[in-house]
């Protein structure tokens, strides 16, 4: 989650989710799944879905959001970083991806731009999971001007065709949950505020029914 998301979250008193593979992210997931003080989750980066491009692993987000204790969680879902696939050093990138567009993040991480076809498949994966989610506890936010810092206009991964393949797939999926489009990139502060506000509204609505 970008710093502006954390700032907005602190102002409204809701929970922002960290990267699912880091220590804080695993701790938050563990605590939320056991119930307790957590009312909702906010995740802008769908690393699980993106992993299908490379590892075909299952997507953990955008599913029915319920803890092991039966507590219902509200969730805000977006498409952050679905414009890239992570590899290790450049030497570890499989030869079959030769000719694709790459960006060097650092000496240990090489990023590959997802293609229009891969983005379409990612959209289908997310739509399938969202179809199982609780509509009144799920809110989808779609940034129209870039899914990452390097995927916005002027960045090395700016690709309108690929982005539209993912967005159009979600638009045509007939989702029951609200889908909100924002004319900005995902790292703009206005996107973070909109995400936290959506989660806060759902939590407030849930409180009224307790």
């Amino acid at each position: 989650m970008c710093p502006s998301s954390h700032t907005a979250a602190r102002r409204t008193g809701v929970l922002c989710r960290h990267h699912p593979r880091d220590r804080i992210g695993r701790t938050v997931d563990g605590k939320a799944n056991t119930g307790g003080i957590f009312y909702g989750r906010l995740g802008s980066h769908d690393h699980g879905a993106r992993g299908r491009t490379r590892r075909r692993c299952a997507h953990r987000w955008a599913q029915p959001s319920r803890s092991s204790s039966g507590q219902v969680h509200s969730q805000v879902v977006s498409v952050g970083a679905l414009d890239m696939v992570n590899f290790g050093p450049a030497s570890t990138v499989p030869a079959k991806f030769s000719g694709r567009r790459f960006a060097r993040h650092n000496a240990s991480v090489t990023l590959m731009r997802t293609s229009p076809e891969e983005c379409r498949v990612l959209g289908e994966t997310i739509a399938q999971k969202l179809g199982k989610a609780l509509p009144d506890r799920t809110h989808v936010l779609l940034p129209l001007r870039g899914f990452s810092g390097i995927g916005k206009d002027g960045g090395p991964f700016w690709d309108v065709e690929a982005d539209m393949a993912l967005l159009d797939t979600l638009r045509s999926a007939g989702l029951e949950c609200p889908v909100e489009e924002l004319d900005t990139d995902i790292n703009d502060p206005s996107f973070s505020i909109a995400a936290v506000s959506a989660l806060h509204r759902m939590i407030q609505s849930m409180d009224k029914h307790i």
Side-chain angles (χ1 to χ4, degrees), residues 62 75 77 125-133 138 140 170 175 177:
Q75 60 179 349
V77 179
T125 301
I126 296 172
Q128 181 182 24
K129 299 297 183 181
L130 286 170
K132 301 176 183 178
T138 303
V140 180
L170 292 175
L175 299 174
C177 61

Side-chain angles (χ1 to χ4, degrees), residues 35-108:
I37 65 171
F38 294 105
Y39 291 90
R41 303 179 180 185
L42 191 159
S44 66
H45 292 75
D46 287 325
H47 294 275
R50 188 181 63 189
R52 290 176 59 88
T53 303
R54 174 180 170 191
R55 301 184 303 274
R56 299 199 178 277
C57 66
H59 181 34
R60 297 196 303 148
W61 276 81
Q63 299 192 57
S65 189
R66 191 181 297 272
S67 70
S68 58
S69 64
Q71 177 185 0
V72 175
H73 293 145
S74 298
Q75 60 179 349
V76 175
V77 179
S78 191
V79 294
L82 290 185
D83 53 1
M84 63 184 75
V85 177
N86 289 25
F87 291 99
S91 60
T92 67
V93 177
K96 65 180 180 179
F97 294 123
S98 176
R100 295 286 294 270
R101 193 189 318 179
F102 293 94
R104 183 181 184 274
H105 181 64
N106 57 40
S108 301

